[in-house]
Amino acid sequence: MIKTIYVCIALAVLAVWSGCSVNYSMTGASIDQGASTVNVRFIENRAPITNPTFSQKLTQKLRDKIQSQTRLTQVNENESKADYEFRGTITGYSFSNAAVTNVDQAATSRLNVTVNITFIKRIGDKKGFTQSFTRSADFSANQLPSSVENGLLDNNIIPGIVDDIFNRAYANW
């Protein structure tokens, strides 16, 4: 009788262990079992103004981050059946005043960027998302926007937006 109880307990424990799976990763990325491909489509510019290289840089940085921090393989952009797919558009790109001095003169200016991303999952729970990601970076109002724009994009805005997109897609943050 006791032997039968031990066997039943052992079988129950084995059933629980075999039915549960957790994916651990050193990067924090959670990739569905069986997923092997990703398609990061070119992120198009639909903002009234923008930097001419911003779309290309943003698309490439997102591809690079996914390739370096996951086991996924980037497929041809024309292929529509990747396990994961990113589509995006730049919807906002503007300069504004961030701080004003006591004599109504701008002390700090700000570059604001908004990117709308659609993430499609064709594997696992198939729960994708459509979300806007916004980042901004401040600079001295004494500087011309054209002289600081590329540095702000490369050092602040693009890495921040890429991290936000990656974390939302693979870390569910």
Side-chain angles (χ1 to χ4, degrees):
M1 175 78 170
I2 293 177
K3 188 175 181 181
T4 306
I5 292 173
Y6 285 130
V7 170
C8 289
I9 290 172
L11 289 174
V13 169
L14 281 173
V16 169
W17 279 345
S18 65
C20 299
S21 67
V22 177
N23 295 333
Y24 292 102
S25 166
M26 298 303 286
T27 63
S30 177
I31 306 297
D32 291 301
Q33 199 169 24
S36 62
T37 58
V38 64
N39 186 351
V40 179
R41 293 187 180 269
F42 184 76
I43 298 172
E44 297 179 34
N45 173 33
R46 298 246 173 97
I49 63 166
T50 191
N51 182 298
T53 62
F54 180 52
S55 293
Q56 180 62 39
K57 287 179 180 180
L58 181 61
T59 303
Q60 192 57 49
K61 288 288 186 185
L62 182 57
R63 287 175 179 163
D64 292 346
K65 178 148 182 115
I66 292 168
Q67 184 161 5
S68 70
Q69 297 200 8
T70 69
R71 58 179 161 68
L72 300 172
T73 303
Q74 173 71 32
V75 297
N76 188 339
E77 193 165 323
N78 297 327
E79 191 170 321
S80 63
K81 295 297 180 191
D83 298 324
Y84 300 115
E85 183 176 340
F86 291 88
R87 297 177 184 175
T89 55
I90 300 166
T91 57
Y93 193 96
S94 64
F95 290 93
S96 63
N97 292 330
V100 180
T101 65
N102 60 354
V103 290
D104 294 334
Q105 184 178 20
T108 307
S109 295
R110 178 174 291 154
L111 171 59
N112 304 292
V113 175
T114 302
V115 178
N116 190 39
I117 296 291
T118 299
F119 176 62
I120 301 165
K121 286 180 73 175
R122 294 187 178 94
I123 196 164
D125 62 11
K126 298 184 181 179
K127 291 183 181 177
F129 64 83
T130 297
Q131 181 177 332
S132 290
F133 297 89
T134 301
R135 281 288 174 143
S136 60
D138 294 345
F139 60 97
S140 172
N142 296 331
Q143 297 176 297
L144 290 172
S146 60
S147 67
V148 297
E149 183 177 16
N150 285 327
L152 294 173
L153 289 172
D154 294 341
N155 300 322
N156 299 77
I157 292 176
I158 292 174
I161 288 177
V162 166
D163 286 345
D164 291 346
I165 295 167
F166 183 88
N167 289 337
R168 176 68 171 90
Y170 297 117
N172 203 16
W173 290 1

